[in-house]
Amino acid sequence: MFSGNAGSRYLATTLLRVDSAGRAHVLITFARSFLSLELARLMAAGGHRVTVVDSIPIAVSRYSNAVDEFHRVPPPKFEPLEYCQALAKIVADNDIDMVIPVHEETDIIAMLAELFPPECRLFLSDFDLENRLHHKYEFQKLLVELGIPTRKFARVAGPEDAAGLDFDKPFALKRCYSRGSQKVHKVQPGDPLTWLEHDELNPWVAQEWVSGDKYCTYSVCHEGRVYAHATYPVDYAIDGSSCLNFRAVEHPRIQAWVADLVERVGFTGQIGFDFIEDGPDKDLFCIECNPRATSGIMMFSPGDGVDRAFLGTSDPDVEVITPSPDVEKMIGIGMLLYGWRAPSRRGRSMAQFARDFRRSADVITRSGDQKPAIMLPLAYASILRSCAKYRVGLAEGFMHDHEWDGLRISI
């Protein structure tokens, strides 16, 4: 069992500095992301000062009225130590009270947490827990240790593991460190796996293929307690996994599952889970965990007071903050680029796509804060340059220099 965040000076146990009005200065990473943009707007709506950072110069969050300052920093994937050193200097020079990482730089910051001033709270868990939740095979092992039902799975680190797989049903094969936009291979029992490329730092995980209704979650947690939570079904999605539209649903079993696991591991930070509800008895299985921000944050509105979930409270009776049940939002540019395609529509007609597109609110466009939408073409041009530099597609290039695939870093 994890002791979670015990003894960590940078977690929720640290008294957060706020001014006399209860406002804090927060730094949000990965400013190119629509998640970061929405988080900046939510924190600013609560009266907090917001600074954002990114490794590219034209990031949509930079142009939001919710943001006070933007800093360009090294790419965390390729210069992790320099990245954290730059963040720590920004924190010290600008009296930052809290750092909220958004993407997989979370692992890197957790690994190098001692670089940061002790009076600044890092909104994450210790590295060992972050890494175990992130690693797809280790997460499944954790579920087994906790007595939580899961489907058959196996680690594939080399040709001998691939040859020894004994699945009698189709199974999914994916990297242990991977993210939603990357390929998940559906493999039939007995299929030759000679095409597999093996990486010592990033092996594969095989999981029994499960069909059913897919759901994703997003939660904000402190020391094993959920303070904000959203559940949303997978409707329109890139490759069936990276959601393009978001509608809040109530799913008490999923919310209870999340609360139980978060409490048992003592998690602090943002976290999301992918679920499949399978069979006539609607058996619930968690496929993977994302111990960082997920798209669910975009379903919250300024009036929901999500900033309170990040700041924390000692009130034992405070209710979990949830989005309005009738909220429907979308990444408009993503729907236009991918949502209309047959794999993303998942059996829906083009007419249904058009109806869903018309009634969903775009997460980029916001009354009184139009600059991010105006700058979107230039922002995507900047990302396309990164795609060309790293020789990857648009979906991969969007996050490529903020991914973490298991490389350990020391000071």
Side-chain angles (χ1 to χ4, degrees), residues 32 34 56 58-60 331 333-334 337-338 364 375-387 394-395 398:
R32 76 189 71 173
F34 307 137
I56 61 174
I58 304 176
V60 290
I331 302 173
I333 185 67
L337 288 173
Y338 299 100
I364 310 302
M375 294 300 295
L376 194 58
L378 288 178
Y380 264 83
S382 181
I383 292 167
L384 285 171
R385 284 196 293 272
S386 295
C387 294
L394 178 59
F398 186 82

Side-chain angles (χ1 to χ4, degrees), residues 232-251:
Y232 52 106
V234 177
D235 289 337
Y236 297 91
I238 303 173
D239 293 330
S241 55
S242 295
C243 291
L244 298 170
N245 73 315
F246 317 98
R247 55 185 180 90
V249 297
E250 291 187 8
H251 199 305

